[in-house]
Amino acid sequence: MEGNWRRPAAVILALGVIVMAFILAWVGSWLTIWWDEWNFIFWRQTLSLDTFLVPHVDAFVALPAAVYYVVLHAFGLTMYYPLLMADWLAHFACVGLLGYIVARKSGVLIGLMAALSLLFLGSAFEVLLQPFQMQYLFSAMGGLLALLALDREARTAPHYAVATIALLGAIASSGVGPIMAGMVLVWAVLRRDRPALYIATIALIAYGTWYVGWQAHLSRVAGWAENLPNVPIEILYGLGAAVSGVIGLPPARFAWLGLAVGVALVLIALWRGLRPTPMAIAAVLALAAEYTFQAVFRGAFGLDHGARSAYLYPAAIFIWLAVAGIIGRRLDPRRWTGGRRLAVPALIGMLVVPMALGNMTQFVLAANAMRPLRLTELRELALMVKLRDVPGLALDAPSDPDLLPQVTARQYFAAIDRFGTPQIPNHGPADYGGHNASDNTALNALVLRLLGGAITVGPDGAPAAAAPTLEVVSGTTAPDGRYGCTALTPASGAAQATWSPSSAGVAIYAEQATDVDAPPVQLFIGFFAPADAPVDATILAAVQGGETIWLPALPESLHWTLTLKVDGNAVVHVCSKQ
């Protein structure tokens, strides 16, 4: 009966891959360069040892660095799909390898369940939405390929060569690589498999050599040592998050429930007389090692960091390898289906469909949440390019601590001069205009970070030919006796007005209030309404003192937008200077 399901299982998995490929291509249409990828673009694009051997934080990432180097030199930054394709192909390879290994251990049906579970593991959305996370996929793929090559009775030199190369690739891709090599090592020891032991040892020695040689370049997350007392609870939380992610529940919300489910399943397996094989023991230890390292070296980020989606991908692989190692061939389909052929797909569907639906719901929600962030990021980059020739541009200031913490104008200009301008696939280049309030806030903050230092104080200028036209939110305006000025009168103790200066100089004079000694005057600046980026303390003090501030000249299509807020009853004179 088992053999009768080989072809249907292959067809079902192939159809699943096609469905997932279309989903990935759809969400890929609004993705672009994100976070850690900028480090690879800025610092790993020369043929040197540093490009491939310098750690990323504390991880060995030679293989992902090589992929970025090749893709960027072949396609540049204008095409993002090549990086996405490298990531997705690694995902499909992991799905196939896991399904095949589990099928060999526990039969075609359990193998199909494992493959479909990993294929639609939407709770691990980071590894599918950000190609930088291909590091986890490469490590997982290397470990699985090594197991596949070594877990056979008759092995030849090509099998040993494949396993060695696969494990070396795994350890050179991410911090998961040494865990994969360690899993193979434990599996080999328990099996008393000397050749496999040698191969795993070679990989771990290679990793240790790299670690010692580049130790000076390693970084540690601040506060990791102080967080050590919290490690036990963080390990348990991470293990529970992994189980909840596999069964389709949001990991951060249901981590403790996942831990309870995992413990219950282990107790049931022991009660039923199922005993772990070497593969199961090795996989469980690898799972524990993954979350132990996370808790020790990343636990300072907080308990919820243990439920990070990128960690769930290798964790799911360890879980399914453990399941395969515990079940083995003990579940005869004829016994648990009563010989009824349709009972098999029904049971598979009852388990896999809810897991896949729960996971893909998380995936779609995460992908949709990324859409406005990626668009805002691209608009910030486009605005940066538009300001490239403005005198006083802060070339080395961080662009956006939330979306572009690694990017400065100088680095970005150098990158696009070499590789072209990033685009969102199928959307073309983004413009720099704000399209909603969130966009406007981010863009105005970027303006002030890049041009705030170019705003100067004094000397006083001559009155401009035209007084500013204020758009009043609260208060009233009237013609001013001062030439080139408009009088703003608060209503009910407050006033707010927005305007676009027609000249480079702005001066604000507040009359003496009747109810306070000096009414507070706040000034906000930007390009897009509402202007909501507050000027720094030096500029604000100049404004409150009635001094003239001078705004740098902008390209013709851009103009300054200022918002003035007054708390008090004093009349404020808003003047244009030239």
Side-chain angles (χ1 to χ4, degrees), residues 52-435:
F52 305 105
L53 297 182
V54 167
H56 178 76
V57 186
D58 54 4
F60 188 12
V61 291
L63 192 54
V67 171
Y68 272 83
Y69 181 89
V70 171
V71 169
L72 287 178
H73 282 80
F75 300 100
L77 286 171
T78 59
M79 297 180 64
Y80 198 53
Y81 269 122
L83 287 170
L84 290 169
M85 288 296 295
D87 185 66
W88 298 339
L89 288 174
H91 169 56
F92 294 141
C94 288
V95 169
L97 289 168
L98 178 66
Y100 189 74
I101 292 171
V102 173
R104 289 179 59 183
K105 291 293 182 183
S106 301
V108 172
L109 300 176
I110 304 298
L112 177 62
M113 292 176 64
L116 292 175
S117 171
L118 189 65
L119 176 64
F120 296 110
L121 192 68
S123 55
F125 54 84
E126 272 185 279
V127 300
L128 301 175
L129 297 176
Q130 185 183 1
F132 175 77
Q133 305 301 344
M134 69 176 69
Q135 55 176 311
Y136 294 108
L137 298 175
F138 288 169
S139 289
M141 184 171 60
L144 291 171
L145 186 56
L147 277 178
L148 183 62
L150 294 172
D151 188 20
R152 57 185 66 241
E153 293 182 4
R155 294 182 302 211
T156 61
H159 293 112
Y160 295 132
V162 168
T164 303
I165 294 171
L167 282 185
L168 290 174
I171 63 105
S173 294
S174 75
V176 173
I179 298 175
M180 284 286 177
M183 179 182 69
V184 175
L185 179 72
V186 172
W187 173 76
V189 169
L190 295 175
R191 282 166 41 103
R192 299 182 181 179
D193 187 336
R194 188 171 296 178
L197 175 62
Y198 291 157
I199 289 172
T201 301
I202 289 171
L204 290 172
I205 289 175
Y207 179 78
T209 301
W210 168 83
Y211 191 93
V212 172
W214 294 88
Q215 189 173 19
H217 298 269
L218 297 172
S219 300
R220 292 287 183 228
V221 173
W224 72 271
E226 294 82 353
N227 185 65
L228 291 180
N230 300 320
V231 164
I233 194 72
E234 290 174 344
I235 294 174
L236 294 175
Y237 179 86
L239 294 172
V243 174
S244 64
V246 170
I247 64 180
L249 298 175
R253 188 183 309 170
F254 293 101
W256 297 119
L257 175 61
L259 182 64
V261 170
V263 171
L265 291 176
V266 169
L267 293 176
I268 291 173
L270 294 174
W271 174 64
R272 296 292 296 174
L274 300 177
R275 295 296 181 264
T277 63
M279 178 176 286
I281 295 173
V284 169
L285 290 178
L287 179 66
E290 178 188 355
Y291 283 101
T292 298
F293 288 133
Q294 187 283 137
V296 171
F297 297 117
R298 299 290 189 274
F301 286 130
L303 185 64
D304 285 351
H305 194 72
R308 181 182 168 186
S309 65
Y311 300 150
L312 295 177
Y313 196 94
I317 291 175
F318 296 140
I319 288 173
W320 277 111
L321 290 177
V323 168
I326 292 173
I327 292 176
R329 293 284 180 172
R330 297 175 180 87
L331 292 183
D332 184 349
R334 289 170 296 185
R335 295 178 56 190
W336 49 279
T337 64
R340 292 183 292 274
R341 183 176 177 84
L342 292 180
V344 175
L347 289 171
I348 293 287
M350 288 173 61
L351 293 172
V352 172
V353 171
M355 292 162 61
L357 289 177
N359 266 288
M360 292 311 294
T361 298
Q362 297 175 62
F363 178 79
V364 172
L365 290 173
N368 283 329
M370 278 290 176
R371 188 198 296 257
L373 298 178
R374 303 291 177 95
L375 284 171
T376 299
E377 173 192 353
L378 232 59
R379 288 172 184 141
E380 289 185 329
L381 294 173
L383 180 58
M384 196 182 304
V385 173
K386 190 69 177 178
L387 298 174
R388 184 168 187 171
D389 296 323
V390 174
L393 184 70
L395 292 173
D396 297 311
S399 301
D400 185 332
D402 297 320
L403 299 182
L404 299 165
Q406 305 92 336
V407 180
T408 66
R410 189 186 305 278
Q411 293 169 329
Y412 182 64
F413 297 154
I416 63 175
D417 287 345
R418 187 178 184 186
F419 298 118
T421 303
Q423 300 177 10
I424 291 184
N426 298 336
H427 283 67
D431 61 40
Y432 54 82
H435 290 241

Side-chain angles (χ1 to χ4, degrees), residues 23-32 80-81 84 88 129 424-425:
I23 294 174
L24 291 174
W26 169 58
V27 301
S29 66
W30 62 76
L31 301 178
T32 189
Y80 198 53
Y81 269 122
L84 290 169
W88 298 339
L129 297 176
I424 291 184

Side-chain angles (χ1 to χ4, degrees), residues 11-25 92 119-120:
V11 171
I12 292 171
L13 182 58
L15 292 175
V17 169
I18 292 172
V19 170
M20 190 61 179
F22 274 104
I23 294 174
L24 291 174
F92 294 141
L119 176 64
F120 296 110

